[in-house]
Amino acid sequence: MAQSETSQHGIDHQGIDHQGIDHRGIDHPIFSESVRRIRAGLEPTGIYQGLSPLEQELLERLVHSSGDVEVAPLVAWSPQACALGAVALAQGAVILTDTAMAAAAVAPMARRTFANPVHTLLEWAPPTVPEGAPASETRSSLGMAAALKALGGRPLVVLIGSAPTALETLLDLVAAGSCPAPALVIGMPVGFVGVGESKRHLAGSGLVHLRLEGPKGGAGLVAAACNALLRRAWLEAC
């Protein structure tokens, strides 16, 4: 089930009604109504127990974006990951994604809120993998290594929705001391090869992170998680 170290429940932020719906224009009415229905379906399961308002909102955003309530119990995070990620985004952290799809889904919210730079690791990936490279070496893994070097230790929120090899490269480089730990890693690669292993490695890495257990994931879900954090940080700042 969704994991959290916090215990606050309910939302009482200025500009937000008792059901957590924004009245300051950042949410479309259809989205707000969707959240009401998602909440009505999830509350009887008890999954919200122990979650902070931000964690609750992130869970709902992932259910909304996937159209699948079965995603909810698969969401897990390290202690205070949502709060720490929201703070980093509010401070202008660079958002680094593994796909153009995830970048395209995050960029509009980033522009409307804190103007975070949004990049894909493919901007630094080679056109092809060198001949004779091991199977674990992919354009995404090479792009991740090059991106981390190019970004020069700037605060990062990293979104991995498709490439477990990129996630493994990130974990290896941080463990080796070759680059600073990102402010937050959203690790939700989708698929059946290398995905479970990379998520288990992320879980045991000690990094601040969000993850989705099992083979589910994808660009839409990592973007949804990031957008939920941007949204909440922006509402808090207003």
Side-chain angles (χ1 to χ4, degrees):
M1 63 184 296
Q3 302 170 14
S4 170
E5 296 292 318
T6 56
S7 59
Q8 190 178 9
H9 179 68
I11 299 173
D12 58 4
H13 303 289
Q14 189 175 31
I16 309 297
D17 73 13
H18 70 283
Q19 291 184 299
I21 305 303
D22 167 47
H23 292 288
R24 284 177 283 185
I26 200 170
D27 294 336
H28 191 281
I30 293 176
F31 173 74
S32 298
E33 177 59 24
S34 295
V35 171
R36 293 182 195 274
R37 297 185 185 192
I38 290 167
R39 193 165 298 167
L42 290 180
E43 279 184 333
T45 71
I47 198 168
Y48 290 139
Q49 184 164 351
L51 300 190
S52 72
L54 175 55
E55 291 162 346
Q56 175 179 320
E57 289 176 24
L58 185 136
L59 198 67
E60 291 162 353
R61 188 98 187 195
L62 290 172
V63 171
H64 177 265
S65 294
S66 64
D68 184 4
V69 294
E70 293 183 4
V71 162
L74 302 178
V75 183
W77 42 68
S78 59
Q80 301 297 319
C82 293
L84 292 170
V87 168
L89 290 166
Q91 293 174 345
V94 175
I95 299 170
L96 178 65
T97 78
D98 62 338
T99 64
M101 289 178 62
V106 166
M109 182 69 83
R111 283 195 300 268
R112 293 201 305 271
T113 54
F114 302 101
N116 305 74
V118 179
H119 295 283
T120 73
L121 56 82
L122 296 176
E123 295 169 35
W124 291 275
T128 59
V129 177
E131 187 175 349
S136 59
E137 197 165 273
T138 64
R139 289 187 66 229
S140 293
S141 67
L142 295 171
M144 174 61 79
L148 293 173
K149 183 177 181 181
L151 291 169
R154 296 172 65 184
L156 296 178
V157 171
V158 180
L159 281 57
I160 303 293
S162 298
T165 56
L167 180 54
E168 294 283 15
T169 295
L170 170 64
L171 297 176
D172 288 344
L173 290 174
V174 171
S178 300
C179 67
L184 176 68
V185 178
I186 302 178
M188 301 180 180
V190 62
F192 297 91
V193 178
V195 167
E197 294 86 345
S198 69
K199 291 177 179 179
R200 286 193 292 274
H201 295 160
L202 178 60
S205 68
L207 297 185
V208 178
H209 75 275
L210 309 173
R211 67 185 190 277
L212 191 65
E213 304 287 18
K216 293 183 178 181
L221 291 185
V222 291
C226 187
N227 283 339
L229 299 180
L230 282 166
R231 172 190 179 277
R232 172 49 51 197
W234 182 252
L235 291 173
E236 292 283 0
C238 289

